[in-house]
Amino acid sequence: MEIKAVHFDMKSMIPTAEYSLTLLDELAEQGINAVVVEFEDKFPFDVTAGIHHPAAWTKEEFRAFAKRCKERNIELIPLLQSIGHLDYLLKYPKFRNLRDGGPEGSSYQWCLAIEESYELWCAMVEELLEVFPETTIFHIGADECRMNVPCELCEENRLDLYVKRVARCCEYIQKKNMKVVVWDDVFRKYGEEKFALLPEGVISCVWMYCKLDEEYIDRMVSSGVECWGASCIQAHKFFHAMSPQEPKMRNVDAWGKIHQKYPQMTGHIGTIWGRNQCQSPFNSNLPQSMFMTAYLVETLENGIIEDRKKFITGFGRKFFGMDLDYNTMINYFCYEPGYSEPIVTELKEKAPRHRDIAEIWYGLNALDQLLFYIYSCFSHNDCMLTTYLDGMAPREMTRNWLESVRLCKEDTEKGLAELKPLMLKYFPEKVWEEFIDQRFRAKFERNEYWRHIIASAALKWEENLKKE
Ligand SMILES: [Zn+2]
């Protein structure tokens, strides 16, 4: 297979630019030969100045990243969304006029009847190519276009406009003598025959993360369209450390079968989803996914992994240089982060190789345990509201609650303070702060809200007692 790619979703909890160079070394060592970089708000585009994430890399840092890719024979494939997944732009007042459905419309996709959205996209492409002049393959995204957005300008013929816009974006890239890749799902859903309306040579990237539709893949491949596959090797809404990997392995196995059957498919992307949209909390990230990248490469190079036990044990030895038995490793792949603590602690303290990844896994797992702790403590207060407001909650109950909120916050803040220096070796402080805001401070605020209600409930109980 020509392209064995991993997806570097920069809306994720991105590593520092400096540490990312080490990650490239590790990916190359595993056999990954392409990285699909989805920049979102982490690239400092001049045309969208003022809206970049505070942890965005500089253009110099991106150049260093590209240089290291080249040194490691990794193809850097820029991905710039051309239709939807544009909240990172459209949430700002400056770009509201481009929203599908008008200024109060969708922050998710721009209106394809507005020419300015195409012009902005082209300008962004130019800036990317100025930083990555050696690009030979460009991914224009274009997945999950929503057809149900009410819009006076385009709702009548949105699908036509979609196909025309994708075709134009493809031509724009092809004129620069590059190959262009498009996610396939809109065509799959609304008319696969329309793919023929795109310029010749466009690569259809078929993403299927659960059940694979082999008949569809067969039709696409047989029609002569160049096709890539895409699996989901990491995505979990809650866990950040080694979330359950079995469904991911199953998805890669299914793709392994397809690639064996259709050797004419020329590439595969293992996707790692950093968060649902740019406004949702962080979830998966690249260093977290180094087990699954190894699993993917092994499958793409040598076919389906028949003996997972052998592979997992081998991974422990090869990647971390540690003789970990299967049962210990498999305990790592489960829902309860507490189970994983012994193995990640052992790895962090003893791994002769890739101690960086071991430390990150340890740190993310410790964060997951803290999350598990604070979310399982106080989730069922709402149904008690009238009891509190009426002053009917007994003193022991309110006292317990108030005391546990205090303890929970103190314990969690202590845990976070201990983890911070370790995590800042690998992640920018702004990203760390954002993560803590989303997952922890938001919860503390919520508990603070309840603390006020429950403190006054305690007073009311005492007043009611006096009345009796
Ligand atoms: Zn529209």
Side-chain angles (χ1 to χ4, degrees), residues 98-102 109-114 149-155 158 161:
L98 299 181
R99 286 183 179 197
D100 205 5
Q109 65 192 25
W110 49 33
C111 181
L112 298 173
I114 299 175
V149 180
C151 178
E152 284 174 14
L153 298 177
C154 75
E155 66 183 348
R158 188 178 278 121
L161 287 170

mmCIF file of all heavy atoms in Angstrom, residues 98-102 109-114 149-155 158 161, ligand 1:
data_model
loop_
_atom_site.group_PDB
_atom_site.id
_atom_site.type_symbol
_atom_site.label_atom_id
_atom_site.label_comp_id
_atom_site.label_asym_id
_atom_site.label_seq_id
_atom_site.Cartn_x
_atom_site.Cartn_y
_atom_site.Cartn_z
ATOM 1 N N LEU A 98 -20.839 34.466 6.279
ATOM 2 C CA LEU A 98 -20.617 33.317 5.393
ATOM 3 C C LEU A 98 -21.447 32.089 5.808
ATOM 4 O O LEU A 98 -21.470 31.088 5.102
ATOM 5 C CB LEU A 98 -19.135 32.921 5.401
ATOM 6 C CG LEU A 98 -18.144 33.989 4.919
ATOM 7 C CD1 LEU A 98 -16.729 33.434 4.974
ATOM 8 C CD2 LEU A 98 -18.482 34.427 3.485
ATOM 9 N N ARG A 99 -22.117 32.193 6.950
ATOM 10 C CA ARG A 99 -22.845 31.014 7.450
ATOM 11 C C ARG A 99 -23.957 30.560 6.501
ATOM 12 O O ARG A 99 -24.609 31.403 5.880
ATOM 13 C CB ARG A 99 -23.518 31.339 8.791
ATOM 14 C CG ARG A 99 -22.564 31.428 9.944
ATOM 15 C CD ARG A 99 -23.363 31.686 11.200
ATOM 16 N NE ARG A 99 -22.488 31.768 12.359
ATOM 17 C CZ ARG A 99 -22.917 31.654 13.619
ATOM 18 N NH1 ARG A 99 -24.201 31.484 13.863
ATOM 19 N NH2 ARG A 99 -22.076 31.738 14.614
ATOM 20 N N ASP A 100 -24.147 29.256 6.458
ATOM 21 C CA ASP A 100 -25.288 28.736 5.716
ATOM 22 C C ASP A 100 -26.550 29.108 6.498
ATOM 23 O O ASP A 100 -26.634 28.883 7.706
ATOM 24 C CB ASP A 100 -25.180 27.208 5.584
ATOM 25 C CG ASP A 100 -25.945 26.696 4.383
ATOM 26 O OD1 ASP A 100 -26.461 27.529 3.614
ATOM 27 O OD2 ASP A 100 -26.009 25.463 4.206
ATOM 28 N N GLY A 101 -27.508 29.705 5.808
ATOM 29 C CA GLY A 101 -28.729 30.135 6.487
ATOM 30 C C GLY A 101 -28.633 31.557 7.021
ATOM 31 O O GLY A 101 -29.476 31.962 7.820
ATOM 32 N N GLY A 102 -27.611 32.292 6.623
ATOM 33 C CA GLY A 102 -27.510 33.689 7.055
ATOM 34 C C GLY A 102 -26.780 33.838 8.376
ATOM 35 O O GLY A 102 -26.389 32.843 8.997
ATOM 36 N N GLN A 109 -21.399 25.022 8.766
ATOM 37 C CA GLN A 109 -20.975 25.018 7.352
ATOM 38 C C GLN A 109 -21.280 26.370 6.738
ATOM 39 O O GLN A 109 -22.169 27.092 7.173
ATOM 40 C CB GLN A 109 -21.670 23.911 6.566
ATOM 41 C CG GLN A 109 -23.180 24.058 6.434
ATOM 42 C CD GLN A 109 -23.836 22.788 5.896
ATOM 43 O OE1 GLN A 109 -23.301 21.695 6.040
ATOM 44 N NE2 GLN A 109 -24.986 22.932 5.277
ATOM 45 N N TRP A 110 -20.515 26.690 5.713
ATOM 46 C CA TRP A 110 -20.797 27.966 5.073
ATOM 47 C C TRP A 110 -21.721 27.770 3.887
ATOM 48 O O TRP A 110 -21.919 26.652 3.411
ATOM 49 C CB TRP A 110 -19.548 28.740 4.712
ATOM 50 C CG TRP A 110 -18.446 28.040 3.977
ATOM 51 C CD1 TRP A 110 -18.555 27.041 3.063
ATOM 52 C CD2 TRP A 110 -17.046 28.336 4.120
ATOM 53 N NE1 TRP A 110 -17.307 26.698 2.620
ATOM 54 C CE2 TRP A 110 -16.366 27.478 3.250
ATOM 55 C CE3 TRP A 110 -16.310 29.245 4.874
ATOM 56 C CZ2 TRP A 110 -14.970 27.503 3.122
ATOM 57 C CZ3 TRP A 110 -14.932 29.267 4.739
ATOM 58 C CH2 TRP A 110 -14.280 28.398 3.880
ATOM 59 N N CYS A 111 -22.303 28.900 3.434
ATOM 60 C CA CYS A 111 -23.285 28.835 2.362
ATOM 61 C C CYS A 111 -22.555 28.719 1.031
ATOM 62 O O CYS A 111 -21.700 29.533 0.703
ATOM 63 C CB CYS A 111 -24.172 30.077 2.375
ATOM 64 S SG CYS A 111 -25.423 29.990 1.077
ATOM 65 N N LEU A 112 -22.934 27.697 0.257
ATOM 66 C CA LEU A 112 -22.223 27.434 -0.995
ATOM 67 C C LEU A 112 -22.677 28.352 -2.123
ATOM 68 O O LEU A 112 -22.101 28.343 -3.209
ATOM 69 C CB LEU A 112 -22.399 25.969 -1.376
ATOM 70 C CG LEU A 112 -21.800 25.016 -0.325
ATOM 71 C CD1 LEU A 112 -22.130 23.574 -0.643
ATOM 72 C CD2 LEU A 112 -20.295 25.202 -0.192
ATOM 73 N N ALA A 113 -23.716 29.154 -1.839
ATOM 74 C CA ALA A 113 -24.129 30.139 -2.846
ATOM 75 C C ALA A 113 -23.351 31.450 -2.675
ATOM 76 O O ALA A 113 -23.507 32.362 -3.483
ATOM 77 C CB ALA A 113 -25.629 30.398 -2.727
ATOM 78 N N ILE A 114 -22.539 31.522 -1.629
ATOM 79 C CA ILE A 114 -21.761 32.752 -1.406
ATOM 80 C C ILE A 114 -20.337 32.545 -1.913
ATOM 81 O O ILE A 114 -19.593 31.703 -1.395
ATOM 82 C CB ILE A 114 -21.759 33.124 0.096
ATOM 83 C CG1 ILE A 114 -23.189 33.383 0.588
ATOM 84 C CG2 ILE A 114 -20.890 34.348 0.361
ATOM 85 C CD1 ILE A 114 -23.307 33.646 2.076
ATOM 86 N N VAL A 149 -30.230 22.466 6.470
ATOM 87 C CA VAL A 149 -30.138 23.820 7.027
ATOM 88 C C VAL A 149 -31.055 24.748 6.217
ATOM 89 O O VAL A 149 -30.889 24.847 5.001
ATOM 90 C CB VAL A 149 -28.674 24.342 6.946
ATOM 91 C CG1 VAL A 149 -28.576 25.751 7.514
ATOM 92 C CG2 VAL A 149 -27.722 23.394 7.655
ATOM 93 N N PRO A 150 -32.024 25.415 6.860
ATOM 94 C CA PRO A 150 -32.873 26.329 6.091
ATOM 95 C C PRO A 150 -32.040 27.504 5.575
ATOM 96 O O PRO A 150 -31.317 28.131 6.351
ATOM 97 C CB PRO A 150 -33.901 26.823 7.121
ATOM 98 C CG PRO A 150 -33.730 25.946 8.327
ATOM 99 C CD PRO A 150 -32.345 25.422 8.291
ATOM 100 N N CYS A 151 -32.094 27.765 4.273
ATOM 101 C CA CYS A 151 -31.299 28.861 3.710
ATOM 102 C C CYS A 151 -31.955 29.358 2.428
ATOM 103 O O CYS A 151 -32.176 28.569 1.500
ATOM 104 C CB CYS A 151 -29.872 28.396 3.425
ATOM 105 S SG CYS A 151 -28.851 29.671 2.676
ATOM 106 N N GLU A 152 -32.270 30.644 2.410
ATOM 107 C CA GLU A 152 -32.936 31.208 1.231
ATOM 108 C C GLU A 152 -32.072 31.098 -0.018
ATOM 109 O O GLU A 152 -32.556 30.970 -1.131
ATOM 110 C CB GLU A 152 -33.231 32.700 1.468
ATOM 111 C CG GLU A 152 -34.406 32.927 2.391
ATOM 112 C CD GLU A 152 -34.576 34.401 2.725
ATOM 113 O OE1 GLU A 152 -33.970 35.249 2.037
ATOM 114 O OE2 GLU A 152 -35.311 34.684 3.695
ATOM 115 N N LEU A 153 -30.752 31.164 0.174
ATOM 116 C CA LEU A 153 -29.866 31.218 -0.987
ATOM 117 C C LEU A 153 -29.604 29.864 -1.639
ATOM 118 O O LEU A 153 -29.385 29.788 -2.838
ATOM 119 C CB LEU A 153 -28.517 31.839 -0.590
ATOM 120 C CG LEU A 153 -28.549 33.277 -0.090
ATOM 121 C CD1 LEU A 153 -27.161 33.717 0.333
ATOM 122 C CD2 LEU A 153 -29.080 34.205 -1.194
ATOM 123 N N CYS A 154 -29.583 28.803 -0.833
ATOM 124 C CA CYS A 154 -29.082 27.548 -1.419
ATOM 125 C C CYS A 154 -29.913 26.296 -1.153
ATOM 126 O O CYS A 154 -29.593 25.238 -1.691
ATOM 127 C CB CYS A 154 -27.650 27.298 -0.965
ATOM 128 S SG CYS A 154 -27.538 26.741 0.736
ATOM 129 N N GLU A 155 -30.963 26.396 -0.305
ATOM 130 C CA GLU A 155 -31.586 25.121 0.084
ATOM 131 C C GLU A 155 -32.248 24.387 -1.093
ATOM 132 O O GLU A 155 -32.361 23.176 -1.079
ATOM 133 C CB GLU A 155 -32.556 25.285 1.261
ATOM 134 C CG GLU A 155 -33.774 26.099 0.963
ATOM 135 C CD GLU A 155 -34.648 26.257 2.222
ATOM 136 O OE1 GLU A 155 -34.410 25.568 3.221
ATOM 137 O OE2 GLU A 155 -35.574 27.085 2.186
ATOM 138 N N ARG A 158 -28.936 22.677 -2.921
ATOM 139 C CA ARG A 158 -27.697 22.557 -2.142
ATOM 140 C C ARG A 158 -26.815 21.421 -2.630
ATOM 141 O O ARG A 158 -25.592 21.567 -2.700
ATOM 142 C CB ARG A 158 -28.011 22.386 -0.656
ATOM 143 C CG ARG A 158 -26.747 22.457 0.196
ATOM 144 C CD ARG A 158 -27.036 22.352 1.673
ATOM 145 N NE ARG A 158 -27.439 23.596 2.279
ATOM 146 C CZ ARG A 158 -28.600 23.793 2.898
ATOM 147 N NH1 ARG A 158 -29.462 22.795 2.972
ATOM 148 N NH2 ARG A 158 -28.909 24.943 3.433
ATOM 149 N N LEU A 161 -24.960 22.480 -5.655
ATOM 150 C CA LEU A 161 -23.915 23.429 -5.269
ATOM 151 C C LEU A 161 -22.757 22.727 -4.576
ATOM 152 O O LEU A 161 -21.596 23.059 -4.775
ATOM 153 C CB LEU A 161 -24.495 24.516 -4.343
ATOM 154 C CG LEU A 161 -25.394 25.548 -5.009
ATOM 155 C CD1 LEU A 161 -26.094 26.404 -3.958
ATOM 156 C CD2 LEU A 161 -24.601 26.441 -5.966
HETATM 157 ZN ZN ZN B 1 -27.035 28.565 1.955
#
